[in-house]
């Protein structure tokens, strides 16, 4: 029972006790008063009637005596009158039945007034003439008593009802701080540190509310400090301190992760020898100031053309990793970059189109980071050798299909559900038990199995992600793929689906009808949460309401704050593969540990990805991660 109900019940009981006592005292007082009044009236009547009857009894005038008694008796105040003559022993009785109108029978049955009667002897001198006995009628007493009790109960009932409403209103106001404290305590238990509770007027509750607010504020500060610690570690280890761009380590880690996932794009390596001339003229401070300005312009203008990473990898060398770019986008990116460089060269007093070179290469299938770097570096060296601004190495990768052919074949394969499924186990970090599985799909196109690494770039390029996700989920449900899994199964959603409001509505209907909703885990990349948080939050609410769970993939890849984790509260996160790369450079554990501490503080499970062998697994064993995933446990075909 709640405290409000306990207090309300106690006060209700006390008020009821007081009311009952008042009713009882009022009842007894009214009864006693009416009894005394009836007794007094009976005494007066006996006295006056005896005096009036005396002369008639002396003369034996029976008719006159009866007339007097009838006059008094017919008033209805007396139930019975008995006159007994001593001379001849004759006895006369006048009697009214006990009929009381307007009074409930149960009150009459209580017989609260009893029998009230008086007897007197009519004398003449010393001679006794007759005996007169009068019994009072209780009707008037019951009527008066019932009227008094009715009035009393009505007044007390009105007071009672009014008091109940006032009491509830006051109790709600008085106990509201306790309700707020309970909600705040629950939120603290869920690692939610929101607004402070208003200080109540009640003295006893001020200290409690103050303590809760202080606790919430301190815990919020702790998690903010952890978030800041991760940011500072990234700034210290992964950010160039002059340009505030990512450094070589961050670039190589992102390149490694990108090349292990489906995608298309390229790498531009740039060498700015004109910065050495600036250093000779103005010193390192002048050079650093120009680098800052140049970096700010590149960050402001280039990401709008294509997604990617801009990094400073040496004093005069920069790199531009384009992660989602076709040939024409890379061309536009390159032209814009050249324009920005020339404008800053001119402002610095140097000659445009001189003393800088750019080497460009594109990603091809099965490319390793070293291959991409080598191609771009060869292109850069060729540009320097030939004295050109830029040189582009065309990998001349043969295209299996044109863009429109890809569209036709992908739409056909998706609509006909030509899916072939695999899944990869996610193992418990300490027991090697499987805690979940991640589902992968391949497509059967022209009777050939096409892997996701081959068709997913075109899915994104042609904006077919929403259609793919719908058909994929429907196929999983139709074929009962999840029936053979004894663990939850993670399903990755594409960027197109996450940014499509119609997909959210479709997914809500799908999950309501699915018998496997509680077994599904929906993974979304961190970049979408950071750039489209409101849309993702709405989608996660739909997923949770259906009993499914939400995970964040590639967590820690972005350079921004991790504050979204506290707002979103996913069930688990998967650390980006770049942390395994940092670990190879002995730079990963600190950032990884800080990020895990944030997740654990928010009661979020942590899965480390990219684990390829036992040696790597041992390097992360000391951390408090819940699970791991990678080619240490290769994907397996699903057969039904």
């Amino acid at each position: 029972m709640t405290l409000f109900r306990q207090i309300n019940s106690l006060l209700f009981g006390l008020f009821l006790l007081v009311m009952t006592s008042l009713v009882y005292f009022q009842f007894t007082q009214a009864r006693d008063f009416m009894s005394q009044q009836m007794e007094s009236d009976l005494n007066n009547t006996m006295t006056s009637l005896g005096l009036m009857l005396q002369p008639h009894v002396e003369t034996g005038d029976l008719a006159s005596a009866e007339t007097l008694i009838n006059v008094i008796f017919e008033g209805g105040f007396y139930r019975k009158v008995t006159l007994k003559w001593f001379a001849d022993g004759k006895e006369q009785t006048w009697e009214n039945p006990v009929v009381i109108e307007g009074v409930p029978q149960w009150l009459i049955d209580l017989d609260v007034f009893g029998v009230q009667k008086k007897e007197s002897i009519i004398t003449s001198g010393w001679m006794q003439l007759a005996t007169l006995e009068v019994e009072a009628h209780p009707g008037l007493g019951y009527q008066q008593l019932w009227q008094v009790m009715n009035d009393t109960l009505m007044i007390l009932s009105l007071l009672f009802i009014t008091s109940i409403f006032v009491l509830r209103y006051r109790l709600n106001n008085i106990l509201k701080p306790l309700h707020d404290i309970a909600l705040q305590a629950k939120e603290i238990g869920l690692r939610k540190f929101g607004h402070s509770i208003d200080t109540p007027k009640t003295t006893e509750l001020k200290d409690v509310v103050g303590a809760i607010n202080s606790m919430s504020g301190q815990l919020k500060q702790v998690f903010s400090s952890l978030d800041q610690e991760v940011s500072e570690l990234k700034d210290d280890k992964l950010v160039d301190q002059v340009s505030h761009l990512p450094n070589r380590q961050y670039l190589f880690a992102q390149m490694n992760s990108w090349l292990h996932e489906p995608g298309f794009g390229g790498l531009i390596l740039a060498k700015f020898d004109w910065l050495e001339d600036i250093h000779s003229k103005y010193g390192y401070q002048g050079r650093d100031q120009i680098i800052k300005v140049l970096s700010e312009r590149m960050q402001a203008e280039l990401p709008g053309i294509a997604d990617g990473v801009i990094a400073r990898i040496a004093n005069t060398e920069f790199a531009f990793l384009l992660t989602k770019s076709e040939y024409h986008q890379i061309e536009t990116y390159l032209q814009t970059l050249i324009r920005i460089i020339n404008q800053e060269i001119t402002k610095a007093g140097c000659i445009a189109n001189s003393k800088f070179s750019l080497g460009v290469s594109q990603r091809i299938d099965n490319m390793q980071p070293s291959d991409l770097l080598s191609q771009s570096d060869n292109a850069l060296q060729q540009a320097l050798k030939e004295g050109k601004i830029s040189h582009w190495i065309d990998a001349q990768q043969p295209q299996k299909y044109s863009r429109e052919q890809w569209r036709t074949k992908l739409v056909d394969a998706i609509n006909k559900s030509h899916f072939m499924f695999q899944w990869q186990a996610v193992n418990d970090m300490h027991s090697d038990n499987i805690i979940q599985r991640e589902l992968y799909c391949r497509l059967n196109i022209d009777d050939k199995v096409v892997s996701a690494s081959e068709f997913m770039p075109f899915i994104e390029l042609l904006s077919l992600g929403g259609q793919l996700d719908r058909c994929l989920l429907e196929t999983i449900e139709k074929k009962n793929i999840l029936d053979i899994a004894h663990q939850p199964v993670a399903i990755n959603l594409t960027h197109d689906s996450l940014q499509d409001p119609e997909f959210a509505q479709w997914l809500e209907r799908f999950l309501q009808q699915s018998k496997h909703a509680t077994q599904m885990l929906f993974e979304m990349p961190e970049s979408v949460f950071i750039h489209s948080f409101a849309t993702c939050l709405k989608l996660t609410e739909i997923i949770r309401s259906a009993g499914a769970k939400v995970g964040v993939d590639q967590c820690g890849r972005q350079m921004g704050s991790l504050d979204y984790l506290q707002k979103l509260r996913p069930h688990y996160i998967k650390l980006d593969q770049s942390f395994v790369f940092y670990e190879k450079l002995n730079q990963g554990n600190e950032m990884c540990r800080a990020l895990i501490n944030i997740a654990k503080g928010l009661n979020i499970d942590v899965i480390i990805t990219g684990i390829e062998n036992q040696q790597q697994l041992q390097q992360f064993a000391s951390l408090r991660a819940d699970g791991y995933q990678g080619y240490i446990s290769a994907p397996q075909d699903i057969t039904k």
Side-chain angles (χ1 to χ4, degrees):
M1 184 182 290
T2 63
L3 179 61
F4 173 84
R5 289 185 178 179
Q6 290 183 42
I7 295 176
N8 196 41
S9 299
L10 177 62
L11 294 177
F12 180 85
L14 291 174
F15 195 79
L16 196 61
L17 179 62
V18 171
M19 279 189 58
T20 305
S21 301
L22 288 174
V23 170
Y24 175 74
F25 289 132
Q26 183 70 12
F27 178 81
T28 55
Q29 288 179 356
R31 180 198 63 190
D32 294 343
F33 175 78
M34 292 307 300
S35 294
Q36 293 173 5
Q37 186 68 34
M38 290 167 62
E39 184 178 1
S40 176
D41 290 344
L42 189 58
N43 289 331
N44 293 335
T45 300
M46 287 292 295
T47 302
S48 59
L49 185 58
L51 293 174
M52 288 187 292
L53 285 174
Q54 182 182 1
H56 301 293
V57 174
E58 286 179 347
T59 61
D61 188 353
L62 181 60
S64 297
E66 288 180 352
T67 301
L68 284 173
I69 292 174
N70 284 332
V71 170
I72 295 174
F73 187 73
E74 288 175 357
F77 295 104
Y78 308 101
R79 193 180 76 83
K80 186 177 181 181
V81 177
T82 302
L83 181 63
K84 184 177 181 181
W85 302 78
F86 286 149
D88 54 8
K90 184 179 180 180
E91 183 177 300
Q92 290 177 287
T93 301
W94 291 262
E95 188 171 358
N96 274 328
V98 179
V99 178
I100 307 171
E101 296 180 357
V103 179
Q105 186 61 40
W106 61 265
L107 181 60
I108 299 173
D109 293 340
L110 292 177
D111 195 22
V112 295
F113 294 111
V115 177
Q116 292 190 5
K117 58 184 179 180
K118 293 290 182 179
E119 183 179 328
S120 66
I121 298 174
I122 301 173
T123 62
S124 176
W126 296 102
M127 184 185 305
Q128 294 181 343
L129 302 176
T131 300
L132 177 65
E133 184 181 271
V134 179
E135 181 180 335
H137 195 293
L140 181 61
Y142 278 111
Q143 289 174 342
Q144 291 296 322
L145 178 62
W146 179 245
Q147 183 64 42
V148 169
M149 295 310 300
N150 259 340
D151 294 343
T152 301
L153 286 172
M154 287 182 62
I155 293 172
L156 289 178
S157 297
L158 182 61
L159 288 174
F160 178 75
I161 294 172
T162 304
S163 300
I164 287 296
F165 281 108
V166 172
L167 179 64
R168 290 182 66 88
Y169 176 76
R170 288 295 299 149
L171 275 179
N172 278 325
N173 286 338
I174 293 171
L175 297 179
K176 185 178 182 300
L178 288 178
H179 177 70
D180 294 339
I181 289 171
L183 290 178
Q184 189 81 321
K186 289 180 181 178
E187 290 188 349
I188 290 174
L190 296 172
R191 278 73 167 178
K192 295 181 180 180
F193 312 109
H195 62 278
S196 297
I197 306 173
D198 295 335
T199 303
K201 297 179 181 179
T202 308
T203 304
E204 291 79 359
L205 295 178
K206 285 183 179 179
D207 293 340
V208 179
V209 170
I212 287 289
N213 286 339
S214 176
M215 183 191 305
S216 178
Q218 290 177 14
L219 289 173
K220 184 177 182 179
Q221 184 62 38
V222 167
F223 288 105
S224 297
S225 299
L226 287 172
D227 187 18
Q228 186 176 357
E229 180 184 350
V230 173
S231 298
E232 289 176 354
L233 284 170
K234 287 182 179 179
D235 289 342
D236 182 51
K237 297 182 179 298
L238 303 177
V239 175
D240 176 66
Q241 300 306 309
V242 175
S243 64
H244 300 298
L245 293 173
N247 61 17
R248 177 185 293 270
Q249 285 74 22
Y250 182 81
L251 173 72
F252 289 176
Q254 297 308 305
M255 188 187 306
N256 186 70
S257 297
W258 174 56
L259 291 175
H260 279 84
E261 299 170 355
F264 52 91
L267 175 66
I268 302 174
L269 291 181
K271 186 172 176 57
F272 298 158
D273 289 333
W274 61 277
L275 290 174
E276 295 293 348
D277 295 343
I278 299 298
H279 181 258
S280 299
K281 291 181 181 179
Y282 306 109
Y284 74 90
Q285 291 181 332
R287 182 201 63 185
D288 290 351
Q289 183 60 36
I290 289 178
I291 289 175
K292 289 179 182 178
V293 173
L294 178 62
S295 301
E296 289 173 358
R297 284 204 60 190
M298 290 190 297
Q299 286 179 304
E301 299 182 34
L302 294 177
I305 301 172
D307 293 336
V309 178
I310 305 172
R312 185 188 181 205
I313 58 176
N315 281 341
T316 60
E317 294 181 13
F318 289 74
F320 306 83
L321 180 65
L322 308 182
T323 55
K324 290 183 181 179
S325 304
E326 291 187 278
Y327 185 92
H328 70 278
Q329 289 177 299
I330 298 176
E331 272 192 323
T332 304
Y333 194 99
L334 181 62
Q335 292 169 5
T336 305
L337 177 58
I338 293 172
R339 174 177 55 80
I340 293 172
I341 295 169
N342 277 324
Q343 289 175 350
E344 294 306 317
I345 286 177
T346 304
K347 290 179 184 178
C350 299
I351 300 173
N353 292 320
S354 65
K355 293 198 173 182
F356 74 91
S357 299
L358 305 170
V360 188
S361 67
Q362 281 184 271
R363 172 181 175 175
I364 60 176
D365 291 343
N366 303 317
M367 189 175 244
Q368 297 298 315
S370 57
D371 299 331
L372 185 60
L373 281 169
S374 177
Q375 280 193 9
S376 295
D377 186 61
N378 289 338
L380 177 60
Q381 297 305 319
Q382 190 67 28
L384 289 169
K385 181 179 178 180
E386 297 176 358
K388 294 181 179 179
I389 295 176
S390 65
H391 184 81
W392 191 315
I393 291 183
D394 189 355
Q396 295 183 348
Q397 180 181 6
Q399 294 295 321
K400 183 181 292 187
Y401 305 114
S402 67
R403 178 187 290 202
E404 288 307 312
Q405 286 176 326
W406 268 114
R407 181 189 297 277
T408 301
K409 293 181 181 297
L410 285 173
V411 169
D412 182 67
I414 291 170
N415 289 339
K416 292 180 179 179
S417 300
H418 288 171
F419 295 107
M420 302 176 67
F421 295 103
Q422 289 182 314
W423 55 28
Q424 186 180 46
V426 177
N427 298 94
D428 187 276
M429 182 63 78
H430 307 291
S431 67
D432 278 346
N433 292 330
I434 298 176
I435 57 177
Q436 63 171 256
R437 297 178 184 271
E438 182 174 356
L439 192 71
Y440 302 131
C441 79
R442 295 172 292 173
L443 284 175
N444 190 328
I445 298 177
D446 293 340
D447 296 325
K448 294 182 180 179
V449 178
V450 181
S451 65
S453 61
E454 188 174 353
F455 70 76
M456 278 306 298
F458 294 96
I459 290 289
E460 295 184 5
L461 182 65
L462 300 170
S463 300
L464 297 175
Q467 186 176 349
L468 173 68
D469 287 341
R470 285 184 176 91
C471 292
L472 181 68
L473 288 169
E474 288 174 347
T475 303
I476 292 171
E477 185 72 15
K478 182 179 179 181
K479 293 186 176 181
N480 294 316
I481 298 293
L482 301 187
D483 281 346
I484 63 175
H486 302 293
Q487 304 85 17
V489 175
I491 301 166
N492 289 277
L493 297 179
T494 63
H495 286 74
D496 292 338
S497 297
L498 298 175
Q499 297 174 351
D500 182 7
E502 292 185 1
F503 177 81
Q505 298 174 4
W506 177 89
L507 183 62
E508 183 175 17
R509 294 192 299 270
F510 170 81
L511 291 176
Q512 288 173 351
Q513 298 170 2
S514 172
K515 61 181 180 179
H516 301 107
T518 57
Q519 202 177 351
M520 294 182 182
L521 310 173
F522 290 94
E523 288 186 10
M524 311 175 198
E526 180 186 60
S527 58
V528 182
F529 285 112
I530 291 178
H531 298 115
S532 305
F533 181 79
T535 303
C536 290
L537 182 61
K538 181 179 179 181
L539 187 61
T540 57
E541 290 173 352
I542 291 173
I543 293 171
R544 283 196 180 101
S545 64
K549 296 182 179 180
V550 177
V552 177
D553 197 15
Q554 303 169 358
C555 186
R557 174 179 291 190
Q558 305 297 311
M559 295 297 292
S561 170
L562 296 171
D563 184 57
Y564 74 91
L565 289 178
Q566 187 172 341
K567 299 175 182 176
L568 180 70
R569 299 306 173 93
H571 294 87
Y572 66 93
I573 60 173
K574 288 186 175 179
L575 299 189
D576 188 58
Q577 294 183 30
S578 58
F579 285 99
V580 175
F581 178 83
Y582 296 140
E583 179 59 28
K584 294 178 181 178
L585 303 176
N586 296 319
Q587 294 183 354
N589 261 354
E590 286 184 70
M591 288 185 292
C592 196
R593 182 178 290 106
L595 202 156
I596 290 175
N597 286 338
I598 290 177
K600 288 299 180 182
L602 296 172
N603 201 27
I604 300 172
D605 291 339
V606 179
I607 298 169
I608 297 175
T609 63
I611 302 296
E612 298 181 1
N613 50 56
Q614 286 293 332
Q615 182 181 357
Q616 286 184 341
L617 182 60
Q618 288 299 320
Q619 291 171 343
F620 289 94
S622 61
L623 304 179
R624 294 190 301 152
D626 298 278
Y628 66 92
Q629 178 184 10
Y631 279 94
I632 190 173
S633 176
Q636 298 175 341
D637 291 336
I638 301 176
T639 57
K640 278 187 66 68

